[in-house]
Each structure stands twice: as structure tokens, then as C-alpha cells.
Amino acid sequence: MQFRVTLEKTVDTGITVWGADPVDGSIRSGVSGRTLAELFEEVEAVKHFVLDVPEDVPVSVEYVYEIPGVPRELFASYQEERAHLRRMAVEVATRLRQAGVTEDDSAMLLGLPDPRRGHLQRS
């Protein structure tokens, strides 16, 4: 399911919050949060209700961002490039592991900082 994500000013307090409105749900009212992390939690809490499906039915969410001053195409292009790079990193890490290269040496070859090295184990 898709949620359209925007930045909005609240009417009562005038603070800026993130808003997410379902694009393809049976219910059109959305949720909001002060941060994206809070917003994503709210979406997770309501997605089954919005689609009127049981909680045990898997529902994946796609976010469509509409941020003033940031063209949607630019952001979409960035997200596609990141997804491509993730797929490449998994392939390279797998082949390095198969070649007997250690996790630390693989991280050095890939230019990963120390905190990101654990990602190689999961790829």
C-alpha cells in the first residue's frame, strides 16, 4: 500500500510535522508524527485497519514523498540508485566471502566505516 508523505504545519500549534495519507486504502484519513521514525510507527499501527485486513496478513508500505522544494523525480532517482548500490554491495560481499576474504578486509575494500562492517555479515 502507498502513503503520501508531506510536511505540514499544525493548525492549533503551528509546528511542522510529517503527515502520511493512504493513497489506496478504504480510509482516507492519515497519521502524523514529529519525526519520520514516529510517522513510520504510526503508519505501521494503522495500515491493517486502513486496508480492512486481518493483522496476520502481510502489508508492505511504499512511501511517496511530496516535500516542498524537492522534486519527486529527484528523490525517486536517489532512492533507485541507493537500491541499486545495495544490491551491488550484497553481490560483492558475497563474492568476497566466497573468495575467502575476511569481513574486516572486505569492509576495507568496500570503504565501509567501522560501524557499518556488521552489515557484511547480514548480506
Side-chain angles (χ1 to χ4, degrees), residues 22-122:
V23 174
D24 48 5
S26 58
I27 295 174
R28 293 289 178 209
S29 63
V31 295
S32 63
R34 290 183 182 228
T35 65
L36 280 175
E38 186 178 303
L39 182 74
F40 295 160
E41 287 178 17
E42 293 295 323
V43 167
E44 286 298 312
V46 301
K47 67 184 183 182
H48 288 89
F49 176 73
V50 169
L51 289 176
D52 193 26
V53 296
E55 290 285 328
D56 60 343
V57 173
V59 175
S60 63
V61 176
E62 176 186 355
Y63 294 98
V64 178
Y65 297 94
E66 294 183 6
I67 303 169
V70 180
R72 186 184 306 179
E73 299 79 23
L74 177 64
F75 196 68
S77 176
Y78 171 77
Q79 289 177 316
E80 288 171 15
E81 187 66 24
R82 282 199 48 134
H84 174 72
L85 290 173
R86 273 189 226 108
R87 287 189 301 272
M88 286 179 56
V90 168
E91 182 177 346
V92 170
T94 300
R95 289 177 184 242
L96 288 171
R97 188 178 309 111
Q98 290 170 345
V101 178
T102 67
E103 182 182 329
D104 286 341
D105 287 342
S106 293
M108 292 294 286
L109 286 168
L110 295 173
L112 297 175
D114 287 340
R116 301 262 340 242
R117 291 184 181 176
H119 294 297
L120 289 174
Q121 290 177 331
R122 294 187 292 271

